[in-house]
């Protein structure tokens, strides 16, 4: 009685993939911007195999002309009435955070699983907005951000391809140390593993984040706009501490991004060798020359600046006096500094600081890069594709629709090169060949 069963099991062991064919996708694109910065092509076909781009062909290829095996499956996506582009990359989000009046209380009352579940919703909102890859730039909770990243990678939750920093590297009492205003017993519980003072401690906390499987390192070189501190927006780490953080991360093959608003902190971070400056609000001519010399990226996060305007205008908002004063200064500067950097040729990567702004509203940054930053729509799109991929060290996998890269593709009705605001309402979202939105 058992012989037939054993025979079948033997056949399965010998031919475990005999009935498993490859998955092909065929996209008919009315207009295709395969490589942002290059020309738009009409009536194109994008062919994908197992989630990656196989080829891009002129004309609308018939399904029968796709060179697939009989056991393979093929799905056709009709985007003949759409403008098709690579999936967008946001280089600065916080899935475990959403700044609102009660958020500091949430850090005490919400459990790590609570924060992870909330973050899973934010991840889904972000993906459906067309952002197929993000870089999370610091969490204040325990392991929730790692659970979100791994849950996405394992297919258990819906979200963009996510790279995480773990805990922010910050000085004791500085921006990134969330224990301000808490009594000591509470502060001792919620202080993160990223807080350090002195060279040896700074080396240790970097190694600790990498031990926790961080994909990159985020440090706070200066004070922050929304930290409840009247210490201004200038440098907080000493130069030797900055160098220790950067050198330690680079020795372990990990990129480093520095939160920096004031010029002294920006310049000290660039001299220390950081790969990107987050915000960069008060950069000066020396900053620009250092950007050009090092090739580091500027991640402006203009959306965050725009979002605080209603809070500044409302005298009853949750902003403290220190936060309100810094917000006013930062907002004024935000309307001009990116234009200066862009004109000078600084590398700029699309970044929003989502978590300060509402998750899923990331595409507002496109509008601000054009209106405040002086970019053309094409240049703004390039910051969220080619530049975004290079900024996170994934230019060989992401950023364009070319053979061998992941099938991360978005589409809109209308022409974003004529009206960049169209990107705030994407109609089609595909990540790694799987469609998550199509309307």
């Amino acid at each position: 009685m058992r012989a037939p069963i054993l025979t079948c099991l033997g056949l399965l062991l010998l031919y475990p993939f005999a009935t498993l064919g490859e998955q092909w996708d065929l996209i008919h694109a009315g207009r295709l911007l395969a490589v942002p910065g290059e020309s738009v092509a009409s009536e194109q076909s994008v062919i994908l195999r197992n989630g990656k781009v196989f080829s891009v062909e002129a004309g609308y290829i018939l399904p029968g002309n796709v060179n697939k095996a009989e056991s393979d499956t093929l799905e056709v996506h009709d985007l003949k009435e759409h403008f098709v582009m690579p999936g967008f990359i946001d280089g600065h989000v916080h899935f475990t955070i959403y700044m609102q009046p009660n958020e500091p209380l949430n850090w005490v009352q919400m459990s790590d699983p609570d924060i992870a579940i909330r973050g899973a919703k934010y991840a889904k909102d972000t993906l459906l907005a067309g952002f197929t890859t993000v870089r999370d730039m610091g969490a204040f909770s325990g392991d929730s951000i790692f659970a979100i990243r791994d849950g996405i990678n394992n297919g258990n939750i819906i979200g963009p391809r996510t790279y995480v920093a773990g805990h922010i590297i910050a000085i004791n009492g500085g921006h990134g140390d969330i224990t301000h205003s808490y009594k000591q017993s509470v502060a001792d519980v919620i202080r993160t593993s990223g807080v350090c003072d002195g060279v040896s401690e700074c080396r240790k906390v970097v190694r600790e984040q990498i031990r926790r499987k961080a994909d990159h390192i985020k440090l706070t070189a200066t004070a922050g706009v929304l930290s409840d501190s009247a210490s201004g927006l200038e440098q907080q780490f000493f130069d030797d501490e900055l160098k220790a953080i950067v050198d330690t991360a680079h020795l372990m093959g990990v990129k480093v991004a520095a939160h920096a608003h004031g010029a002294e902190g920006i310049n000290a971070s660039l001299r220390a060798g950081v790969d990107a400056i987050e915000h960069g609000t008060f950069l000066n001519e020396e900053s620009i020359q250092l950007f050009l010399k090092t090739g580091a990226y500027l991640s402006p996060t203009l959306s965050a600046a725009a979002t605080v305007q209603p809070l500044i205008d409302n005298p009853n908002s949750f902003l403290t006096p220190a936060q309100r004063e810094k917000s006013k200064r930062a907002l004024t500067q935000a309307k001009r500094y990116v234009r200066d950097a862009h004109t000078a040729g600084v590398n700029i990567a699309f970044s929003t600081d989502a978590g300060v702004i509402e998750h899923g509203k990331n595409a507002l940054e496109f509008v601000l890069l054009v209106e405040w930053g002086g970019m053309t729509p094409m240049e703004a799109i390039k910051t969220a594709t080619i530049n975004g991929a290079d900024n996170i060290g994934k230019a060989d996998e992401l950023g364009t629709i070319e053979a061998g890269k992941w099938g991360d593709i978005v589409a809109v009705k209308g022409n974003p090169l004529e009206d960049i605001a169209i990107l705030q309402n994407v109609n089609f979202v595909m990540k790694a060949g799987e469609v998550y939105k199509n309307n």
Side-chain angles (χ1 to χ4, degrees):
M1 292 293 292
R2 296 183 180 180
I5 295 175
L6 291 173
T7 301
C8 290
L9 287 173
L11 288 171
L12 287 172
L13 290 172
L14 287 171
Y15 305 104
F17 305 111
T19 60
L20 297 179
E22 296 185 304
Q23 172 62 42
W24 294 78
D25 290 271
L26 174 60
I27 296 174
H28 289 155
R31 284 170 293 178
L32 177 66
L33 180 60
V35 181
E38 297 184 6
S39 60
V40 178
S42 299
E43 298 186 0
Q44 300 287 295
S45 293
V46 180
I47 303 171
L48 298 95
R49 182 175 66 182
N50 297 331
K52 290 192 172 183
V53 178
F54 181 76
S55 66
V56 179
E57 310 289 345
Y60 295 139
I61 302 298
L62 295 175
N65 291 335
V66 176
N67 188 22
K68 67 179 187 66
E70 282 189 24
S71 61
D72 296 347
T73 56
L74 173 67
E75 187 171 355
V76 179
H77 309 280
D78 184 358
L79 298 178
K80 296 188 185 76
E81 303 299 321
H82 291 73
F83 190 105
V84 180
M85 298 159 284
F88 304 138
I89 301 168
D90 189 336
H92 190 133
V93 306
H94 298 278
F95 279 155
T96 61
I97 303 168
Y98 180 35
M99 292 307 299
Q100 51 194 326
N102 64 336
E103 188 65 5
L105 190 59
N106 287 337
W107 298 336
V108 178
Q109 292 185 330
M110 292 178 70
S111 68
D112 221 32
D114 289 332
I115 292 173
I117 290 170
R118 186 182 69 164
K121 178 194 180 300
Y122 296 154
K124 182 177 180 179
D125 292 342
T126 303
L127 177 62
L128 296 183
F131 291 82
T132 52
T133 300
V134 300
R135 185 158 72 160
D136 190 283
M137 295 304 279
F140 296 142
S141 58
D143 292 327
S144 56
I145 189 57
F146 296 99
I148 293 168
R149 176 195 65 188
D150 296 344
I152 292 169
N153 290 342
N154 295 332
N156 296 322
I157 61 176
I158 294 172
R161 187 177 291 99
T162 301
Y163 301 97
V164 306
H167 289 154
I168 295 169
I169 310 302
I171 64 165
N172 193 359
H175 185 64
D177 178 358
I178 63 172
T179 62
H180 290 280
S181 304
Y182 291 108
K183 64 181 183 180
Q184 190 63 47
S185 59
V186 176
D188 289 341
V189 172
I190 68 172
R191 180 171 282 115
T192 73
S193 66
V195 175
C196 62
D197 297 300
V199 167
S200 61
E201 280 190 16
C202 288
R203 287 175 178 157
K204 183 176 181 178
V205 298
V206 169
R207 291 169 178 149
E208 174 64 12
Q209 302 320 305
I210 295 172
R211 183 199 66 78
R212 298 173 71 219
K213 303 297 184 183
D215 300 301
H216 53 268
I217 293 297
K218 157 79 175 300
L219 68 93
T220 51
T222 72
V225 173
L226 293 181
S227 54
D228 189 12
S229 168
S231 59
L233 290 168
E234 270 304 346
Q235 184 173 345
Q236 293 192 327
F237 276 108
F238 287 105
D239 288 355
D240 60 347
E241 293 172 320
L242 287 172
K243 193 75 166 54
I245 293 167
V246 174
D247 287 351
T248 303
H250 284 173
L251 279 173
M252 301 184 79
V254 172
K255 286 196 170 194
V256 182
H259 157 111
H261 285 287
E264 290 181 8
I266 294 168
N267 298 345
S269 298
L270 290 169
R271 286 193 293 268
V274 298
D275 302 287
I277 295 290
E278 310 300 305
H279 316 303
T281 314
F282 293 92
L283 58 77
N284 57 19
E285 183 57 35
E286 182 184 357
S287 311
I288 289 174
Q289 294 306 313
L290 285 168
F291 272 114
L292 297 176
K293 178 181 178 181
T294 64
Y297 271 90
L298 170 65
S299 297
T301 67
L302 297 178
S303 301
T307 299
V308 301
Q309 182 70 71
L311 300 176
I312 294 171
D313 295 340
N314 179 5
N316 299 315
S317 72
F318 66 84
L319 292 181
T320 66
Q323 290 172 326
R324 191 178 303 276
E325 188 275 331
K326 289 185 289 184
S327 295
K328 286 180 180 178
R329 290 173 53 207
L331 181 60
T332 299
Q333 187 68 12
K335 295 182 178 180
R336 56 176 177 257
Y337 81 97
V338 175
R339 188 180 296 265
D340 293 341
H342 174 58
T343 300
V346 172
N347 293 327
I348 296 177
F350 187 104
S351 300
T352 64
D353 211 355
V356 174
I357 71 164
E358 183 180 350
H359 295 280
K361 303 296 184 183
N362 312 56
L364 170 63
E365 190 79 12
F366 285 115
V367 177
L368 296 174
L369 287 170
V370 172
E371 292 184 357
W372 295 0
M375 295 186 183
T376 66
M378 180 71 86
E379 289 170 334
I381 292 170
K382 188 176 178 183
T383 69
T385 51
I386 293 175
N387 290 11
D390 187 47
N391 181 40
I392 63 175
K394 299 295 179 182
D396 58 336
E397 301 178 22
L398 306 168
T400 63
I401 303 174
E402 295 180 291
K405 294 194 176 183
W406 284 110
D408 292 0
I409 295 170
V410 300
V412 294
K413 294 177 181 176
N415 188 346
L417 301 181
E418 297 174 354
D419 180 8
I420 194 69
I422 289 173
L423 298 183
Q424 293 177 288
N425 184 26
V426 299
N427 304 103
F428 178 90
V429 178
M430 170 185 278
K431 186 189 83 173
E434 185 170 348
V435 176
Y436 291 89
K437 184 177 184 180
N438 188 8
N439 57 31

